[in-house]
Amino acid sequence: MGLKKNDRPVGEADDEAVRQLHAEGLGRNEIARRLQRSGRTISVIAARLGLEFTTEQTEKATRHRTAQLAEKRAILADALTDDALRLSAQLWEPAKVFNIGGKDNEYTEQQVPEPPAADKRALMAAATAAAAQSLRLVPPETDTQGLAAVDAWLRDVMGGGQPPAE
């Protein structure tokens, strides 16, 4: 049985790296990610070296990976929010409209003060989709009454949710 396309032989450097990362308390999957090896390969190396992965290591690794994923979701949500803002800005910026057609299949273009209505609808749909995905990835913080942070601030500014005095 030969090596798979991207496999490389396991050597002493791998053994030492697994030993060191295991001593640092990393879990199998995190070691595999760092060494760009499969989890199975790391398990085989660890077993050969007499190393075991404890429940505590696995829990720590899981917490670490969960935090990494939360950070990546926040970065993606931020990028999607930026995309939504850029798309929204294009609604009111000058645009180039073009057409290819006629019997000679000619290209014509024209600058317009803002995009045509159909293009505005497409921009708005794309901006809305980006904003919605951003909110799904990182929902707004809510207080104990289930209000978004901005709503809670507004409630406090307006008198703490009490009806205005007459």
Side-chain angles (χ1 to χ4, degrees):
M1 183 159 117
L3 295 175
K4 291 181 186 171
K5 182 178 177 184
N6 293 323
D7 283 350
R8 25 181 230 283
V10 175
E12 290 181 21
D14 294 302
D15 289 357
E16 186 53 39
V18 170
R19 187 179 286 113
Q20 180 181 347
L21 294 171
H22 181 273
E24 291 176 18
L26 297 180
R28 184 196 74 157
N29 292 343
E30 182 62 23
I31 293 172
R33 265 189 289 284
R34 289 190 184 190
L35 299 182
Q36 296 181 345
R37 294 286 192 176
S38 71
R40 172 83 176 124
T41 299
I42 300 305
S43 293
V44 169
I45 294 171
R48 186 167 26 87
L49 298 174
L51 304 174
E52 293 181 0
F53 293 101
T54 65
T55 304
E56 182 180 311
Q57 282 175 299
T58 302
E59 289 171 355
K60 180 181 175 186
T62 300
R63 284 191 304 275
H64 177 71
R65 184 64 180 153
T66 301
Q68 284 179 325
L69 292 173
E71 179 183 11
K72 287 180 178 183
R73 281 192 307 274
I75 290 168
L76 181 56
D78 186 47
L80 285 166
T81 299
D82 289 344
D83 292 344
L85 291 170
R86 279 192 298 276
L87 289 163
S88 295
Q90 289 179 35
L91 291 167
W92 313 110
E93 294 175 353
K96 182 187 298 184
V97 293
F98 63 91
N99 187 34
I100 301 174
K103 69 176 186 164
D104 296 326
N105 208 21
E106 292 179 10
Y107 173 83
T108 58
E109 67 180 46
Q110 178 182 358
Q111 281 294 123
V112 293
E114 56 189 53
D119 293 341
K120 282 186 173 187
R121 277 191 301 276
L123 286 167
M124 185 58 79
T128 301
Q133 287 299 344
S134 174
L135 288 170
R136 281 189 200 104
L137 288 168
V138 181
E141 294 181 17
T142 57
D143 66 8
T144 55
Q145 295 176 341
L147 297 174
V150 172
D151 293 334
W153 172 81
L154 214 99
R155 179 199 60 208
D156 293 340
V157 168
M158 298 302 293
Q162 304 299 321
E166 292 186 27

